[in-house]
Amino acid sequence: CSSDLPFTTLLGAAYRTNGNYFSAKRMVFAMEMPDGHFDFLLNDTNRDEGSLQSEIKKQFNLKGRLELRETNVLVLKVKDRNAPALRFGGVPKYDLNESFARPLTTTALAETLEQEFFHQPVIDETRLAGTIYFFALPRKPEDLDLLKQILLEQSGLELVPDRRSIEMLVVEKAN
């Protein structure tokens, strides 16, 4: 059972791809979305995405479809492969008052940056997938300059603005 979730989280669960939830940053809305937060319960009879999609259609008259759309993105790239946090067992140095360390793969880091810090998709092009590193992240999500500085100095990673065609979830009226 999940409770008190924004509507975009329900959509992300209903239309997930490859087992990954769709980020709200990768959604396009053709109309106003329902306000408030929602609860949902998955059981053995409604565990698949199709059941949740059907329920959203029934209760809110909304459906989603995947579509390639060109949009602004941030591309996560390696600038310095010898950065302290990218070395085996490396832990970034950071100010405990301003930041905290989190163990993540670079793919999970990109998802975290997209969902918690930036208002646009983040694409992992580090080619470091699968390995867990410790990344220092600012305690305040709005402190993006500090985030970029820490990523570059401690982890050797940079975020490069670009425009790409990516898969987006387009949400529209069902009828």
Side-chain angles (χ1 to χ4, degrees), residues 122-139:
V122 177
I123 298 170
D124 178 14
E125 288 190 356
T126 61
R127 296 195 172 124
L128 299 173
T131 303
I132 295 176
Y133 301 96
F134 283 91
F135 295 103
L137 300 173
R139 293 192 183 280

Side-chain angles (χ1 to χ4, degrees), residues 109-125:
L109 173 65
E111 291 170 0
T112 299
L113 295 175
E114 179 174 318
Q115 294 171 12
E116 297 178 25
F117 293 92
F118 295 97
H119 299 289
Q120 64 191 93
V122 177
I123 298 170
D124 178 14
E125 288 190 356

